[in-house]
Amino acid sequence: MPANVTLILGGAASGKSAFAERVCVNSGKDRVYWATAQIFDTEMREKVSRHLKQRGEGWTTVEEPETAARVLGDLAPGQICLMDCATMWLTNHLLAGHDLAAEQDGLLAAVERCRADLVIVSNETGLGIVPENKLARRFREAQGRLNIALAAQADTAVQVTAGLPLVLKGVL
């Protein structure tokens, strides 16, 4: 039986990661944090440091910027995995020049096969203006397609705005 999948959507700095962490902690399960970000500069290093402090103890962290099957295939029933976040995961593939449709299919297949519960954080990028450059427009479109696919696969989908959750699908 596939795991329970919860998708947490929100804008940048909306409180979605903190909310997702609470969902995981409240589950009472062994917690795994799948970190998809790559640290290339001081700003990102500081953001990761803030997230580590916010998260606190009791997490096993797996740093994997691209390969979903490697992370999700190692999980077991009784665990809950927080993927933070699908947006950084997609960015990593986009900037590496990978086939985004194939990578998305691989992620969705890995989610379907995963035996642990999953909480996936992703940015909602469709609420702003149309980006002025081709790469940004390509990213926005790919992120929208990924969010739609993840929401379709999820048991629960939640939009977080100003730290407040709004359940879009399922129940918390």
Side-chain angles (χ1 to χ4, degrees), residues 8 22-23 55 120:
I8 310 292
R22 286 193 304 274
V23 169
R55 197 163 55 246
I120 301 170

Side-chain angles (χ1 to χ4, degrees), residues 82-153:
L82 171 54
M83 177 190 189
D84 198 358
C85 70
T87 306
M88 291 303 298
W89 175 87
L90 180 66
T91 300
N92 296 337
H93 286 291
L94 176 71
L95 296 178
H98 297 160
D99 179 333
L100 298 183
E103 295 299 341
Q104 177 176 306
D105 288 347
L107 172 62
L108 295 173
V111 167
E112 181 66 30
R113 289 189 306 270
C114 184
R115 298 177 302 141
D117 287 349
L118 299 173
V119 176
I120 301 170
V121 172
S122 191
N123 282 35
E124 175 52 65
T125 59
L127 298 174
I129 62 172
V130 175
E132 56 83 27
N133 69 76
K134 184 177 180 177
L135 179 63
R137 288 189 300 274
R138 182 173 176 228
F139 169 76
R140 185 195 59 175
E141 293 300 317
Q143 184 67 61
R145 285 190 301 275
L146 177 60
N147 286 346
I148 290 167
L150 288 170
Q153 194 169 12

